[in-house]
Amino acid sequence: KKHKPQGGYHALGLATFGPVGLNSSHNDYGCILPTSPKASWRRVNLLQPMERACRGKRKLVVRIETDVNAPALAEYLAAD
């Protein structure tokens, strides 16, 4: 909490191993999917606790992506 801005953060980006729910209109958004080979991670909601910790008075923009796609997206967005 001591590093959290007074009004909360503006955005939260999370990259994780997959398979992960990437469709924000589905109930499994932000969760490791049940098809994961990592049995103890299946159905774990990664996004919800992070979102709760970062939320404040302002609207929080949230994006989750796989650890493979996130760097590619960053390179694309940084390209001139």
Side-chain angles (χ1 to χ4, degrees):
K1 289 186 178 182
K2 75 179 190 179
H3 298 292
K4 183 176 176 180
Q6 189 172 6
Y9 291 97
H10 172 71
L12 169 65
L14 183 64
T16 182
F17 62 87
V20 63
L22 297 175
N23 188 330
S24 62
S25 65
H26 290 174
N27 289 338
D28 63 5
Y29 182 59
C31 296
I32 301 298
L33 298 178
T35 56
S36 174
K38 299 175 175 143
S40 60
W41 283 95
R42 293 176 187 154
R43 295 183 175 85
V44 171
N45 190 325
L46 300 174
L47 193 56
Q48 192 175 52
M50 294 294 291
E51 190 175 5
R52 245 190 324 248
C54 293
R55 187 170 302 276
K57 293 179 181 176
R58 68 177 88 179
K59 181 179 183 206
L60 181 66
V61 178
V62 177
R63 177 77 188 253
I64 188 165
E65 194 51 77
T66 66
D67 56 351
V68 174
N69 291 340
L73 178 61
E75 286 183 16
Y76 172 78
L77 294 173
D80 290 330

